[in-house]
Amino acid sequence: SAHAAPKNEMAAPEPDSAARILRAPPRRQVPRAAPPATPPKGAMETVRHIIESQQFDREFLADLFQRTEQLSSQGKNRDMAGMTLASVFYEPSTRTRFSFEAAMYRLGGNVITTENAREFSSLAKGETLEDTIHIISGYVDLIVMRHTDIGAAKRAAEISAVPIINGGDGAGQHPTQALLDLYTLHQRFE
């Protein structure tokens, strides 16, 4: 024919080929091992989100505390240069918000913030937490979130394209406070 497709282009599938594909038997699923309940020793790089205190084991904490001491002894550190933190707080918490924002600035990063996201985000117009996190995660490298609802950080982590740090979720978890408390005890009693 005069209008034949060049040989290097794929020809259009036959009209009934889509129907055959849809009727094809499902591929055999290969069973996968369940992920470990806690990160393996020295696996700080594999932790994507900080959602609950129970996600860390003793070996992880020992590694974290060792790295904390190394960073503290280095003095000025610019590891977060060029990165942006979204500080998204649905309930007030001056100390938690300021500690994260100050840390980000001290590490060379930038911060965008909403300290009253319940009133000053699209949640006020009916947008879901998941929609908000999906959009925010497109603008930043990291999100710290405080929310009134138990489990909100976990829901955010399921949709976010960037790491989520739980800065407190109602009467539920506040893992960064727990980590700070454990580090304080570690320093005091070691």
Side-chain angles (χ1 to χ4, degrees):
S1 93
H3 299 296
K7 290 187 184 211
N8 62 350
E9 291 184 8
M10 276 183 53
E14 298 174 33
D16 67 339
S17 65
R20 276 187 278 132
I21 291 170
L22 291 174
R23 286 190 304 265
R27 292 183 183 200
R28 182 177 174 273
Q29 296 292 320
V30 177
R32 295 182 183 198
T38 56
K41 182 177 181 179
M44 284 183 50
E45 295 82 18
T46 64
V47 173
R48 178 160 169 78
H49 306 287
I50 298 177
I51 303 301
E52 60 184 8
S53 304
Q54 294 85 348
Q55 76 186 85
F56 307 113
D57 62 13
R58 287 180 188 214
E59 291 80 14
F60 179 90
L61 294 172
D63 189 32
L64 175 66
F65 296 163
Q66 179 182 14
R67 290 181 188 210
T68 301
E69 290 161 4
Q70 289 170 348
L71 288 172
S72 296
S73 67
Q74 286 179 357
K76 194 141 181 132
N77 182 311
R78 308 291 290 170
D79 282 355
M80 301 300 277
M83 299 183 87
T84 301
L85 165 75
S87 176
V88 183
F89 278 60
Y90 287 86
E91 72 175 359
S93 179
T94 306
R95 286 184 295 270
T96 300
R97 187 171 61 86
F98 277 16
S99 67
F100 277 105
E101 292 177 10
M104 188 64 170
Y105 285 128
R106 287 182 180 143
L107 292 170
N110 302 301
V111 175
I112 57 175
T113 188
T114 179
E115 61 183 296
N116 194 355
R118 188 165 294 288
E119 290 183 38
F120 300 111
S121 76
S122 292
L123 178 71
K125 298 187 292 185
E127 183 175 85
T128 66
L129 171 67
E130 289 80 2
D131 288 340
T132 299
I133 294 301
H134 175 73
I135 297 302
I136 291 173
S137 71
Y139 293 110
V140 300
D141 302 288
L142 176 67
I143 298 171
V144 62
M145 185 179 85
R146 185 170 187 121
H147 203 283
T148 55
D149 297 343
I150 294 173
K154 185 174 184 178
R155 289 176 29 221
E158 290 170 357
I159 195 73
S160 180
V162 299
I164 296 285
I165 297 176
N166 183 358
D169 60 352
Q173 295 278 334
H174 198 327
T176 56
Q177 183 64 54
L179 289 171
L180 178 59
D181 293 347
L182 285 171
Y183 183 65
T184 301
L185 291 170
H186 167 78
Q187 284 182 307
R188 173 70 174 99
F189 295 108
E190 187 175 65

